Amino acid sequence: MRYVTAPPATLLAAPGTLAVLGFGAVTAAAEDPRWLRLPLMPLDAAAIAEVWQIDAAVEHGRAGAVCYAAGGGWLFGTIELDEAAHGGLERATVAAYRALAVFSAARAECHVLRIWNYFGAINRGSGDAERYRRFCAGRALGMGTAFADGYPAATAIGVPGAPDRLQVYWLAATATGTRVENPRQLSAWRYPRAYGPTPPSFARGMRLPGAAGLAISGTAAIVGHVSQAADDLDAQLAETFANLDALLTAAGVDGGFDARSPLKIYLRDPAQAARVADFLAAHLPAAVPRLLLAGDVCRAELAVEIDGWRFPAWRPVMEKSVTGR
Ligand code: 3EB
């Protein structure tokens, strides 16, 4: 997984390309199921692409609402649903997660490891009517029993503009991952009732099969279940990095962040981008790939959230799954 400025068409034509995500003013031939444009604006570049590549041949296609690409034991999937056409965000979320679960159950890559969720106006509505809470309710209903063994790692972020569609994309594999929780944070699915009727269905992190790396869920300035430093961006960043460090330790990863740990930083107020960039420059090695995006955190009092990866030094090769007889 890399952040690159190459044109999506070039990336899609390269061998082993599983997915290309476009941020900002990036365009591509819209017909390729491996291509997904996200309405998240980069704050330190005009346009950037994120490319996922594997050491294997890639097949891709569509199955109902699901677009997918698969190879070498890995699968990239996407679902984009129009909110209005599904009777609102909550119902669109139910439909998206049902489709994800049905699709995944029928694939060899049936282990959904890591999910991203993007939709507009995430904090609109008060109390239990808040759109993030409705999303959480729809996600839990749509998941059904598909994640009874444990939730995937995840991110849920609000995108700018009027709400119109829900975008969900994910990484799945033929082999199971290992969930990681954060000792500084209450597991999200155990959040108390005060945060909504349906606690969020995600794990703090997921160690990929084949020791291929650690997927880091969206991480913010939450300690236990309580948001920290509501009016202090630097303090929120410091708590967020304390949480990230604790997660790496819990996952058994040492060495911290480096060139193999690309991060995304979602910032509510684009006017604070320079301050965040300064903080990151002071707290991260220069080699750490970072993408600063305008995005809304699911708790209105939080200004910033970070997710990402920690990959190993070597190129992981998934064990071949045994197929046929
Ligand atoms: C939190 O820790 C911050 O609902 O999928 C982070 C990662 C957050 C994932 C989700 C929400 C989600 O509760 C918010």
Side-chain angles (χ1 to χ4, degrees):
M1 203 245 77
R2 292 172 297 134
Y3 301 131
V4 293
T5 53
T10 308
L11 298 167
L12 290 166
T17 297
L18 198 63
V20 181
L21 309 173
F23 299 90
V26 191
T27 52
E31 286 316 302
D32 195 309
R34 298 170 299 166
W35 160 252
L36 183 64
R37 187 171 183 283
L38 299 164
L40 288 158
M41 291 304 137
L43 296 174
D44 45 11
I48 196 104
E50 173 181 329
V51 59
W52 298 10
Q53 275 176 314
I54 57 173
D55 283 323
V58 172
E59 47 122 356
H60 54 78
R62 286 167 212 275
V66 177
C67 295
Y68 68 91
W74 303 103
L75 182 138
F76 167 75
T78 69
I79 300 179
E80 285 190 82
L81 293 184
D82 184 83
E83 287 188 22
H86 286 82
L89 173 64
E90 184 168 349
R91 288 184 185 174
T93 309
V94 174
Y97 274 82
R98 281 201 178 129
L100 185 161
V102 167
F103 171 83
S104 300
R107 293 283 316 188
E109 303 88 351
C110 59
H111 301 283
V112 178
L113 304 169
R114 204 329 179 178
I115 308 183
W116 292 258
N117 306 277
Y118 296 125
F119 53 95
I122 195 167
N123 304 124
R124 183 178 297 171
S126 62
D128 292 344
E130 186 188 33
R131 281 167 53 83
Y132 174 63
R133 296 188 183 189
R134 300 330 309 162
F135 162 81
C136 284
R139 173 171 56 181
L141 191 58
M143 279 181 167
T145 57
F147 293 92
D149 291 343
Y151 295 121
T155 294
I157 285 287
V159 301
D164 54 354
R165 71 214 155 114
L166 166 71
Q167 293 180 304
V168 178
Y169 69 93
W170 67 94
L171 173 71
T174 51
T176 188
T178 308
R179 286 158 199 90
V180 185
E181 288 302 302
N182 193 322
R184 292 186 92 236
Q185 301 186 291
L186 186 67
S187 292
W189 68 85
R190 299 178 58 205
Y191 281 173
R193 175 64 179 86
Y195 299 98
T198 314
S201 316
F202 70 96
R204 298 291 178 190
M206 181 71 74
R207 282 165 51 204
L208 303 181
L214 173 70
I216 301 167
S217 290
T219 302
I222 296 172
V223 179
H225 57 78
V226 180
S227 301
Q228 309 291 306
D231 48 6
D232 185 338
L233 178 65
D234 280 2
Q236 284 192 28
L237 283 163
E239 285 295 349
T240 301
F241 273 98
N243 283 337
L244 290 169
D245 289 342
L247 186 74
L248 293 188
T249 302
V253 172
D254 45 37
F257 295 107
D258 60 19
R260 301 162 290 162
S261 43
L263 301 178
K264 278 197 193 86
I265 303 95
Y266 306 93
L267 179 62
R268 185 182 297 278
D269 177 6
Q272 294 183 308
R275 230 172 107 200
V276 172
D278 286 349
F279 185 98
L280 298 175
H283 288 80
L284 285 175
V288 176
R290 67 203 73 177
L291 179 55
L292 185 53
L293 297 165
D296 294 337
V297 185
C298 62
R299 290 190 187 183
E301 69 275 16
L302 293 178
V304 67
E305 182 172 310
I306 298 178
D307 71 18
W309 299 94
R310 179 60 161 74
F311 294 114
W314 40 277
R315 298 181 96 189
V317 181
M318 181 85 90
E319 257 176 63
K320 285 212 167 58
S321 60
V322 181
T323 54
R325 59 201 78 172

